[in-house]
Amino acid sequence: MRGGRSGWAGSVQVMALTAALTAVLCAGCSSQRHGDAAGLGSAGVTDRAATEARVIEYFRKTAAVPSGATLEIADWSAAGVPGWSKANLKVNSGFRSEDMHFVVSDDGRYLVRGEPVDLTVDPALAIRSQIDLKGQPVRGPADAPVTIVEYSDFQCPFCAKSSQTVEHDLLAAFPGKVRLVHKNFPLPQIHPWAQNAAIAAECALQQSNDGYWRFYEMLFEQQKTITPANLREKVLDGSAVAGLDRAKLTQCYDSKATAAQVQADVSEGHALGVNSTPTFFVNGRRLAGAVPLDNFRAAVEQELSSR
């Protein structure tokens, strides 16, 4: 589903504190470059329970959090900054969930929305290092200078539209220069058959890369006629169109043998901040939503010119 962040968290108006934290970050980066990691943050919040309670109370009072939503703080770790730790606030309203990262002083007094950023690290390179390309469905040459990684949902209409833009128009505009990698990111809270469609697509990939893409196209082409009730029939009938072994596809789909692969894609997407579909990374540069062809062309041309 197309869309940005819900805005639950709002913005934390602490410009002076942010400036101070930035100064500390720079000092931390400097000491790291000189091999001195002593004193860097170690998730040493003095009273974690009290701090968590204050953080949750703060967001409930200042952000547009649905009244029935549950808020949970997880993933405490060192912020890489002396005297600061970082964590993740998970907001779940039953039909939608969102992760909100924050940094908090170890005395539990100050909070800054977001994560510390090391300005000495190329952000696009850092994103690329988090994306697993091994064994993924791919179109385009392995040595293409530009790699586009797409996180999408087979029930998302904007994903169907974007698939045409990228697969046909963009790849044709840059022959041999771009490769496309697809990652499954189903949104089961709003798309009831997307999860099983992703499992089916991963089953197709077990048989062949080409079969995966034919299956991918079939699901998007028939998106408007697929329902939770007829999905299995569509999947099995699609095996012939995709040139797949029907018996193998049936066994894989019915046993949900590829559910772990789908979850791996979803977890990877969450780690990269993906929370809507489609989301693309062009050599690590993020583009989200039903991106026009001209925007894709500009991103690709920029990557080609920088080489």
Side-chain angles (χ1 to χ4, degrees):
M1 178 178 180
R2 185 188 181 188
R5 291 187 178 275
S6 64
W8 284 345
S11 61
V12 183
Q13 302 299 322
V14 285
M15 294 179 66
L17 176 60
T18 302
L21 178 57
T22 302
V24 176
L25 279 168
C26 291
C29 292
S30 176
S31 64
Q32 284 180 302
R33 286 196 299 270
H34 288 87
D36 179 13
L40 293 183
S42 58
V45 175
T46 305
D47 188 337
R48 185 176 296 182
T51 299
E52 289 187 355
R54 283 197 295 272
V55 170
I56 289 173
E57 180 184 19
Y58 175 83
F59 279 112
R60 281 203 183 278
K61 289 182 176 179
T62 62
V65 177
S67 59
T70 60
L71 280 68
E72 178 186 3
I73 296 177
D75 306 325
W76 283 98
S77 64
V81 182
W84 293 79
S85 299
K86 63 180 180 179
N88 182 27
L89 177 67
K90 296 179 178 292
V91 181
N92 192 326
S93 62
F95 64 92
R96 177 172 182 166
S97 62
E98 183 175 357
D99 292 344
M100 297 185 287
H101 302 288
F102 64 88
V103 180
V104 66
S105 59
D106 286 344
D107 62 6
R109 182 174 181 180
Y110 295 109
L111 176 146
V112 177
R113 172 76 188 277
E115 295 187 52
V117 175
D118 185 346
L119 297 179
T120 67
V121 176
D122 181 339
L125 183 60
I127 288 174
R128 293 203 301 271
S129 70
Q130 297 179 64
I131 299 176
D132 181 13
L133 300 179
K134 185 178 180 181
Q136 303 299 320
V138 59
R139 275 188 166 170
D143 61 350
V146 178
T147 296
I148 299 177
V149 180
E150 168 194 27
Y151 292 83
S152 74
D153 172 313
F154 285 115
Q155 199 174 344
C156 162
F158 296 102
C159 297
K161 179 180 178 180
S162 293
S163 71
Q164 295 294 313
T165 300
V166 177
E167 291 175 61
H168 301 293
D169 301 334
L170 190 67
L171 267 63
F174 297 93
K177 301 293 186 181
V178 177
R179 65 170 173 166
L180 172 65
V181 177
H182 182 250
K183 298 272 188 171
N184 283 295
F185 198 85
L187 302 171
Q189 302 95 334
I190 55 174
H191 294 153
W193 56 262
Q195 181 79 17
N196 283 339
I199 288 172
E202 291 290 343
C203 286
L205 182 61
Q206 286 190 346
Q207 295 192 40
S208 77
N209 182 72
D210 289 344
Y212 180 94
W213 289 102
R214 287 192 291 266
F215 198 80
Y216 166 105
E217 291 177 347
M218 181 274 295
L219 287 171
F220 278 136
E221 288 169 359
Q222 298 190 33
Q223 187 183 75
K224 293 181 179 180
T225 65
I226 296 175
T227 67
N230 70 16
L231 176 62
R232 184 178 185 276
E233 178 185 357
K234 294 280 190 180
V235 164
L236 300 185
D237 288 347
S239 63
V241 176
L244 303 171
D245 184 300
R246 183 185 177 97
K248 289 182 179 178
L249 185 65
T250 301
Q251 191 281 327
C252 180
Y253 178 76
D254 287 345
S255 67
K256 303 294 185 285
T258 57
Q261 286 92 316
V262 174
Q263 185 54 50
D265 282 358
V266 171
S267 297
E268 181 181 271
H270 282 148
L272 294 169
V274 175
N275 62 4
S276 63
T277 57
T279 295
F280 302 88
F281 291 93
V282 181
N283 274 6
R285 297 173 185 264
R286 180 180 176 133
L287 295 174
V291 181
L293 177 61
D294 286 347
N295 292 33
F296 276 119
R297 290 179 66 103
V300 171
E301 288 169 353
Q302 184 176 9
E303 288 300 311
L304 292 175
S305 65
S306 67
R307 297 183 64 82

